[in-house]
Amino acid sequence: MAKFKEYSDYGSYGGEEHTAGAAIGGFFLVAFLLLVVAAVVIGFELFREATAVKEEATDTLAQISVLKDELGSGDFQSATTTAAWISEQADSMREDTDGWVWQVCARLPIIKDDVENVRTLTSVFDRLSDNVIDPVVQAGASGDATALATAATDANEQVTQAQAELSALPPSHFSEIGNAVYRAQEALDEVAAYTSSTANAAQAAQAATDAAAAANAG
């Protein structure tokens, strides 16, 4: 009986070990499934938000072209409305890509560079809206040549910094993101051409005004 009891004890111990191993295996299986579900949810949210951001970016780039034409024709009233729309879109895109989904995905292998490229694009859009578009449009609407010259000169520096920032972005794994970066660079080139020429023209106009005032005073 003693031997049978000893055998039973060992058998009981083995059963407990098997149960514990099964529990641990079950825990890791559940944890793995939760990770899969989380990855699917995050992936879906990223896709949904990225699609929305892409549409907003496409619309914004189109409006930047409209704004360029309005500024070129001196229609500052329409330009003010367009600039306000661009500012609203830029804020929306930056806020979207500052969300938890984008922050999490910015730490994941393979796609982290692509995520950061999109976040950089939206950040550049937002800064350009605040530091380039709004000041230039407001100065132009005021009719003050000195203010316009100052705003255009400051804006040109901001555009140059943004161009360098986009040029430093790593290559993207997705053509859509690469195309967005390319189109943004083209838009920046157009903005730079406008701010540069506007600054030169405003400075020349101010110099002519100062010269005329000095001649009249003399």
Side-chain angles (χ1 to χ4, degrees), residues 21-36:
I24 293 174
F27 169 78
F28 281 113
L29 176 60
V30 171
F32 174 73
L33 291 176
L34 287 175
L35 285 175
V36 170

Side-chain angles (χ1 to χ4, degrees), residues 29-154:
L29 176 60
V30 171
F32 174 73
L33 291 176
L34 287 175
L35 285 175
V36 170
V37 171
V40 171
V41 171
I42 291 173
F44 174 78
E45 284 297 310
L46 180 64
F47 174 78
R48 183 181 64 81
E49 293 188 9
T51 301
V53 169
K54 177 184 176 181
E55 293 175 354
E56 290 177 324
T58 300
D59 293 341
T60 302
L61 285 171
Q63 288 302 306
I64 287 176
S65 295
V66 171
L67 179 66
K68 183 195 67 172
D69 294 337
E70 292 169 345
L71 292 175
S73 64
D75 185 2
F76 289 102
Q77 182 175 357
S78 297
T80 301
T81 301
T82 304
W85 186 93
I86 291 173
S87 178
E88 184 178 344
Q89 289 292 100
D91 287 341
S92 176
M93 287 189 291
R94 180 188 54 76
E95 290 173 2
D96 287 344
T97 55
D98 276 346
W100 68 270
V101 171
W102 294 84
Q103 293 180 24
V104 170
C105 291
R107 293 175 173 80
L108 297 179
I110 301 176
I111 67 169
K112 63 181 181 179
D113 286 344
D114 302 294
V115 172
E116 282 301 328
N117 283 0
V118 175
R119 298 184 75 192
T120 298
L121 275 175
T122 58
S123 177
V124 166
F125 269 130
D126 191 42
R127 292 202 311 273
L128 287 177
S129 174
D130 292 340
N131 302 328
V132 175
I133 294 174
D134 287 347
V136 169
V137 171
Q138 291 173 12
S142 71
D144 187 336
T146 302
L148 181 57
T150 300
T153 300
D154 293 343

Side-chain angles (χ1 to χ4, degrees), residues 113-115 117 169-179 181:
D113 286 344
D114 302 294
V115 172
N117 283 0
L169 291 178
S172 175
H173 297 94
F174 304 98
S175 60
E176 291 85 354
I177 298 177
N179 290 336
V181 172

